[in-house]
Amino acid sequence: MDKVLVIGSGGREHVLGWKLAQSSHVKEVVYAPGNAATAQEIKGKNVVADVTSIDSLVDIVQREEPDMTIVGPEAPLAAGLADALFEKGYDRVIGPTKAAAQLEASKFFSNELNEGLSVPQAEAIPCQNIGEARAYLNLLQRLLSVRSISDKGIVLKADGLAGGKGVLVCDTTKEALDSLPKFTKEYGPKILVAERLFGEEFSVFALSDGEKVIPFGVSFQDHKRRDDGDKGPNTGGMGAYGPASVADAKTVQAVCDKMLKPVVQKMAERGMPYKGVLYAGMMMTEQGPKVLEYNVRFGDPECQAAMMLLQNDLYEIFDQMIRGRLDKAEFSFLPGAACTIVMAAKGYPESPQTGFLVQGIDKAEKNQRVKVFHAGTVERDGQTLAAGGRVLGVSAYSPSGLNDAVREAYEAVSIIKSNTGTGQFHYRTDIAHYALKK
Ligand code: AMP
Ligand code: GLY
């Protein structure tokens, strides 16, 4: 029986550990650092960890000697955690090398790669500094006016990692021009100036062993804006569900065949084989699916809904991936649908109020089809306190479909309370609204 180490502390890491613990091959799941719930999970244990320090994470791996290490968030991968572990002889790592993690860590890199492979994406110009961006946007503005073409807007994207921020969707070219000084001050000089695309978004997950790419046959949809009706600031994600009706299994396979496989093949040719979770943020435009971004890990909260649906042993799938035998791995998904409602702390994302008591989770989980994954929580004297922007991911699976999954998740949400007066929850009441309206 094997020991696994899950690096990270959010809902994604909780659900991955929960799913791995269901494997008969797994005897212990160590979370570094985990949250209030992970230490209480079956086979679970938390260890103190600083996920911003590669040295401290390597120390933990050397101390714990896991049979498999799963890296949840992107930042340690972009900083070279997988490389550092390989150097020490730990090669059973789920997560790409630093070079391969550029797929998420550099928008210039992924834009150029897509362009070379004719992968459908927004037209974009990489600009090294504010002067280049300004010159390009001025030229574009003049061209639109001379040709009397309507201005559909512009998207500014910071080249590097920005923790889910670093993207500004502007309604006009002028707005983009006006936003440049503040944007570059906040996120650095290198910006991708991109065409604004329109359509419904969806997420595709796949796994790659460096050669073969196997997609999850189900697509998911996240809700990035904080408030109902897709209003308010962008967040890490306020809720998710799957399957998303915008992209059926055939569309997911086409995204994999026409976009993800060529990318993985090209990266292997360039000497930076991609081994790990590959998650494409997609938009269904009038011209068909286009890539918005690649991520080198599972999306959160989509991962919570995805793991509620995955029928197979995740440890066996990861094991086949590490051995380069992904074609032997089995992926099947339960019929019906799963949904995750994020309960965030009021004030999220700018200044979440934390420290309040979280109550009612056991009662909410009395429904066997509900599971509450923790994100920003800590345990104090046997009680659960809110400790982050996104506090909980209240997830439900229903064999009868999305309506019931959403209803049961919201019933569970209504049972969970904060009652100390120091803070409260904020959540969206319209998760899955696109699909439910159809
Ligand atoms: P990204 O980090 O690239 O996924 O961008 C974050 C969010 O910004 C996406 O989920 C979209 O809502 C939006 N976005 C990014 N690129 C574009 C684009 N080219 N056109 C319209 N919206 C975009
Ligand atoms: N759900 C969006 C993300 O994980 O980036």
Side-chain angles (χ1 to χ4, degrees), residues 191-237:
I191 350 166
L192 199 68
V193 176
E195 168 197 14
R196 181 175 177 185
L197 300 176
F198 294 88
E200 207 179 313
E201 288 181 46
F202 61 99
S203 306
V204 171
F205 290 145
L207 300 182
S208 170
D209 60 13
E211 275 179 34
K212 296 170 283 297
V213 187
I214 312 281
F216 279 30
V218 172
S219 71
F220 296 88
Q221 191 166 58
D222 184 15
H223 298 65
K224 292 229 170 73
R225 306 287 284 270
R226 186 187 59 195
D227 302 326
D228 282 3
D230 295 321
K231 302 217 164 57
N234 253 319
T235 70

Side-chain angles (χ1 to χ4, degrees), residues 107 122 155 157 164-165 167 169 194-198 201 224 234 283 292-293:
K107 302 265 189 204
V155 179
K157 295 190 173 196
K165 298 187 209 146
V167 175
V169 180
E195 168 197 14
R196 181 175 177 185
L197 300 176
F198 294 88
E201 288 181 46
K224 292 229 170 73
N234 253 319
M283 191 177 269
L292 292 177
E293 65 164 347

Side-chain angles (χ1 to χ4, degrees), residues 12 222 224 236-237 279 293 295 297-302 390:
R12 169 182 47 213
D222 184 15
K224 292 229 170 73
Y279 146 34
E293 65 164 347
N295 296 285
R297 35 81 195 177
F298 282 112
D300 194 11
E302 298 99 306
R390 293 191 288 178

Side-chain angles (χ1 to χ4, degrees), residues 48-108:
V48 176
D50 172 6
V51 291
T52 64
S53 160
I54 298 297
D55 288 347
S56 98
L57 294 174
V58 172
D59 279 353
I60 289 169
V61 172
Q62 287 183 309
R63 206 171 57 231
E64 294 289 335
E65 302 221 299
D67 299 287
M68 185 188 286
T69 300
I70 296 100
V71 187
E74 63 280 14
L77 294 166
L81 177 59
D83 312 62
L85 292 176
F86 294 151
E87 252 173 53
K88 302 276 184 205
Y90 295 96
D91 55 1
R92 288 176 57 81
V93 178
I94 302 298
T97 59
K98 182 176 180 169
Q102 287 181 90
L103 207 50
E104 173 167 1
S106 169
K107 302 265 189 204
F108 283 17

Side-chain angles (χ1 to χ4, degrees), residues 180-198:
L180 279 176
K182 187 162 175 269
F183 192 81
T184 47
K185 194 163 166 231
E186 212 158 327
Y187 301 111
K190 290 169 81 175
I191 350 166
L192 199 68
V193 176
E195 168 197 14
R196 181 175 177 185
L197 300 176
F198 294 88

Side-chain angles (χ1 to χ4, degrees), residues 213 215 252-262:
V213 187
V252 169
Q253 191 61 51
V255 166
C256 183
D257 291 342
K258 294 192 191 131
M259 306 180 198
L260 306 185
K261 284 182 182 168

